[in-house]
Amino acid sequence: QVQLVESGGGLVQPGGSLRLSCAASRNSVSRYTMGWYRQPPGKQRELVARITTGGSTNYADSVKGRFTMSKDNAKNTVYLQMNNLKPEDTAVYYCNAVYWGTEYWGQGTQVTVSS
């Protein structure tokens, strides 16, 4: 069982920045594909960014050039740096880990972009 704990969400004005963190258990960051998903109000959960065990990343078109996902294997933590935030980025953000087809999820952290 992998435990994922997100932090760093909050209220930010449009154009602002936030950095989300996801602390994982059991050395999973170096061995699992890690991802960030989000669920806007009234909408389905969607992939935001993903990072492989080798460090390759891919992003949703809506966040390319604004969001950066990274990881620190030594700290067993993944990050999502979010810049130039827009109101449409408002959502609950979830950390995800996948290993051999088994998925694990964090509890989510709320990000609200509003003036």
Side-chain angles (χ1 to χ4, degrees), residues 28-109:
S28 50
V29 167
S30 62
R31 298 184 294 122
Y32 290 44
T33 293
M34 304 295 296
W36 285 99
Y37 286 72
R38 67 186 181 187
Q39 187 164 16
K43 297 184 178 180
Q44 291 187 331
R45 194 173 297 189
E46 61 184 12
L47 175 67
V48 176
R50 183 186 288 128
I51 190 165
T52 67
T53 54
S56 298
T57 53
N58 63 282
Y59 300 91
D61 288 343
S62 59
V63 307
K64 282 181 181 177
R66 300 188 298 122
F67 291 12
T68 302
M69 185 173 184
S70 61
K71 64 176 182 173
D72 186 329
N73 289 339
K75 294 183 177 180
N76 215 27
T77 301
V78 295
Y79 305 95
L80 185 68
Q81 177 66 43
M82 306 185 293
N83 298 327
N84 190 22
L85 282 160
K86 304 175 181 181
E88 51 264 41
D89 295 317
T90 295
V92 178
Y93 283 71
Y94 296 91
C95 184
N96 170 271
V98 180
Y99 186 72
W100 286 100
T102 299
E103 287 193 289
Y104 303 90
W105 294 93
Q107 82 288 352
T109 184

